[in-house]
């Protein structure tokens, strides 16, 4: 109930109505006023409703509280935030205006910034937060000052002003020497801007402050891996595994990295060191299985699933076992067997719908007509399943060679679920793949308006724009923001590098593309971008090697054609030499 205490305390901060109450707190004179118990009661209810995501009822309770305490600027700002969640932006604006009418205050300026972001005014959001930061004091209210500065950094990043975001975070690190969050954020922004030394320094500072900071350990290990510093990456990953007490997600990440660098035996040892999974905990079992898959021990993974089936697993795990078995069999190259396992899931199973979707996904590659037939017979029982089914049917239609029908399937679904993020992103991807990249970008804009920090949308828009030489400045800004928000993502690192390459900056392109290549050496798209980099640098033999490796990995059709064209172009150039 910390938020309740903070807001209720804030209600007593305005000294605009008699009788005033004067106190001395820590040597400072504080003037407060009496608050009606009814206001506290309604605010308490509102916060409970917010925790339950019942925002309409929360707004109603806050409005009732204002009847008793209409001069509370913090309360009006809080109501504005709730209205923003409800999409009632005009009402939110009215509350922000009413709060600011009594003078600048941090909560109202922060709410104003959130509102401006949704109204596609990122510059205005930054300006509002700079005013808010000017009102705070690290000496008097360190937590408020830090949080407001972090908000400013995020807003600057989304306004495509990474240097300003970096300056805001540097101020946090200077003014709040114990701020781990400030250092982690600064490391992320520095990395996205290409200052890898600064990123390393800030991550190490975070670990000096808190050696058990798992996020800092994993990001530092990823940074070393991206730089090709294998011994250091392994040392930090080992420490992360020890400090996490063998957490399966950390073990899987470490095993996956070891396989990437060719240390298969060590990856297998990590799997061997795990204690037997608890069959009563479906998530723990799935995590253990993921470690086996990361170590490429598919036989052991399948044996683990079969042993669980013979034992006494929880009801949830028993239901999920066919999905897990199919996943492992697909890993082993037993696609037909995996499909058979999924299709054998009975209709009364809680995972029947998911199993059919997965079977259709596997059938899509090579047997798209069968996948379409399977999906046509599948019935959704709720909105979530309806959305999943629409996306699956669209992808299958595309694979059948009818991308126009695929687009229509998703457009029809969007009529019932307007501006649904997953539907919109799926439609944008299909439009891009069928050459309608302008429409793809236009579809994603409303997603970014509603969710300015959506990393998938930022990366998609940036990459598609770069791929088509469209608005490279904005595209690069969005990709840098995406990388700062999803630190260490090989896909986004590759996108940033590709943006620099298309802009003609080979030095910065190499800085990012080679990181992506270290992190995902078997990704055909990353290899294709590295090949283009080498071509630009007149390193034709390295380019040939990268293109051939990418082609051997059986990329999707569009990329395959590009790779073949690049290889043919190099071959023609070599043949033309005297």
């Amino acid at each position: 109930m910390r938020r309740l205490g903070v807001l209720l305390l804030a209600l007593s901060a305005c000294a605009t109505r008699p009788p005033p109450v004067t106190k001395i707190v820590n040597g400072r004179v504080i003037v407060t006023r009496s608050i009606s118990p009814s206001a506290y009661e309604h605010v308490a209810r509102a916060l409970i409703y917010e925790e339950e995501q019942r925002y309409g009822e929360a707004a109603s309770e806050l409005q009732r509280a204002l009847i008793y305490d209409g001069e509370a600027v913090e309360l009006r700002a809080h109501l504005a935030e709730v209205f923003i969640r409800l999409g009632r932006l005009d009402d939110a604006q009215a509350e922000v205006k009413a709060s600011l009418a009594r003078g600048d205050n941090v909560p109202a300026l922060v709410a104003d910034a959130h509102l401006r972001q949704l109204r596609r005014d990122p510059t205005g959001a930054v300006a509002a937060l700079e005013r808010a930061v000017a009102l705070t004091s690290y000496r008097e209210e360190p937590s408020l000052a830090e949080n407001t500065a972090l908000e400013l950094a995020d807003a600057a990043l989304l306004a495509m002003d990474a240097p300003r975001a970096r300056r805001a975070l540097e101020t946090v690190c200077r003014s709040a020497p114990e701020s781990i969050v400030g250092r982690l954020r600064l490391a992320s922004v520095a990395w996205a801007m290409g200052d890898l030394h600064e990123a390393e320094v800030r991550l190490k500072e975070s670990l000096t402050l808190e050696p058990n900071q798992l996020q800092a350990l994993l990001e530092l290990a990823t940074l070393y891996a991206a730089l090709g510093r294998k011994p250091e990456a392994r040392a930090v990953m080992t420490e992360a595994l020890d400090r996490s007490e063998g957490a399966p997600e950390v073990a899987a990440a470490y095993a996956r990295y070891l396989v990437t660098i060719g240390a298969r035996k060590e990856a297998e040892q990590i799997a061997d060191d795990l204690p037997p999974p608890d069959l009563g905990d479906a998530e723990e079992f799935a995590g253990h299985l993921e470690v086996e898959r990361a170590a490429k021990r598919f036989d052991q993974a399948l044996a683990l699933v079969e042993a669980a089936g013979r034992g006494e697993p929880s009801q949830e795990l028993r239901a999920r076992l066919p999905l897990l078995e199919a996943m492992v069999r697909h890993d082993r190259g037993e696609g037909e067997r995996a499909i058979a396992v999924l299709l054998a899931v009975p209709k009364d199973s809680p995972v029947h719908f998911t199993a059919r979707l997965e079977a259709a996904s596997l059938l899509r590659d090579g047997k798209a007509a069968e996948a379409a037939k399977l999906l046509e017979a599948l019935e959704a029982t709720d909105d979530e399943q309806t959305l999943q089914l629409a996306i699956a049917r669209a992808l299958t239609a595309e694979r059948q060679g009818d991308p126009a029908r695929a687009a229509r399937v998703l457009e029809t679904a969007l009529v019932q679920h307007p501006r649904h993020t997953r539907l919109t992103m799926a439609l944008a991807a299909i439009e891009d793949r069928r050459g309608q990249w302008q429409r793809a970008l236009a579809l994603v804009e409303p997603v970014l308006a509603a969710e300015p920090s959506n990393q998938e949308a930022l990366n998609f828009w940036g990459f598609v724009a770069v791929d088509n030489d469209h608005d490279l400045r904005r595209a690069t800004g969005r990709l840098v923001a995406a990388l700062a928000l999803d630190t260490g993502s090989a896909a986004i690192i590759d996108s940033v590098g590709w943006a620099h390459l298309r802009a003609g900056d080979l030095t910065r392109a190499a800085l990012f593309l080679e990181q992506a290549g270290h992190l995902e050496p078997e990704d055909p798209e990353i290899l294709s971008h590295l090949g283009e980099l080498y071509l630009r640098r007149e390193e034709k033999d390295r380019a040939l090697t990268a293109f051939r490796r990418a082609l051997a990995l059986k990329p999707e059709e569009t990329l395959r054609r590009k790779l073949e064209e690049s290889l043919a172009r190099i071959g023609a150039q070599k043949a033309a030499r005297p």
Side-chain angles (χ1 to χ4, degrees), residues 317-528:
L317 178 55
R318 186 169 292 281
R320 289 174 60 180
L321 283 176
L323 302 179
L324 298 173
E325 180 184 349
M327 184 170 62
V328 175
R329 291 196 180 280
H330 182 259
D331 289 341
R332 292 176 77 191
E334 301 175 6
E336 293 292 335
R337 184 72 182 276
I339 292 167
V341 169
L342 292 167
L343 293 178
V345 173
K347 196 166 187 177
D348 61 353
S349 168
V351 300
H352 175 265
F353 182 87
T354 302
R356 294 276 157 156
L357 278 187
E358 291 296 328
S361 177
L362 297 180
L363 284 166
R364 217 162 25 235
D365 291 325
K367 296 183 179 180
E370 289 185 34
K373 185 177 179 181
L374 180 63
L375 293 171
E376 195 60 37
L378 191 57
E379 295 181 1
T381 59
D382 56 35
D383 282 349
E384 177 60 25
Q385 290 187 357
T386 299
L387 298 173
Q388 292 177 355
L389 190 54
I391 292 171
R393 286 172 174 167
L395 293 174
T396 302
E398 182 185 30
R399 192 55 60 89
Q400 287 180 291
D402 193 349
R405 180 161 62 89
R408 287 196 300 273
V409 168
L410 293 174
E411 286 165 349
T412 300
L414 279 166
V415 171
Q416 299 298 319
H417 303 274
R419 296 196 175 183
H420 188 278
T421 298
R422 268 187 299 155
L423 287 174
T424 302
M425 294 302 300
L427 177 58
I430 286 173
E431 293 289 29
D432 175 52
R433 287 193 291 269
R434 70 180 185 134
Q436 303 295 321
W437 63 268
Q438 296 98 328
R439 182 163 191 249
L441 296 182
L443 283 165
V444 175
E445 283 293 354
V447 174
L448 288 171
E451 305 170 42
S453 59
N454 185 310
Q455 295 139 40
E456 179 189 3
L458 286 166
N459 184 47
F460 178 90
W461 197 100
F463 185 83
V464 171
V466 166
D467 229 20
N468 292 279
D469 289 319
H470 171 75
D471 200 347
L472 289 182
R473 188 195 67 81
R474 182 190 296 184
T476 304
R478 285 182 166 176
L479 291 171
V480 167
L483 182 55
L485 293 166
D486 190 4
T487 310
S489 164
I492 305 178
I493 290 172
D494 171 66
S495 295
V496 174
W498 186 234
H500 288 305
L501 185 63
R502 300 288 279 197
D505 188 339
L506 300 191
T507 301
R508 291 189 69 76
L511 176 67
F512 289 96
L513 291 176
E514 288 174 352
Q515 287 181 64
H518 284 305
L519 292 172
E520 294 289 349
E522 301 298 311
D523 185 298
E525 187 152 56
I526 291 174
L527 285 169
S528 76

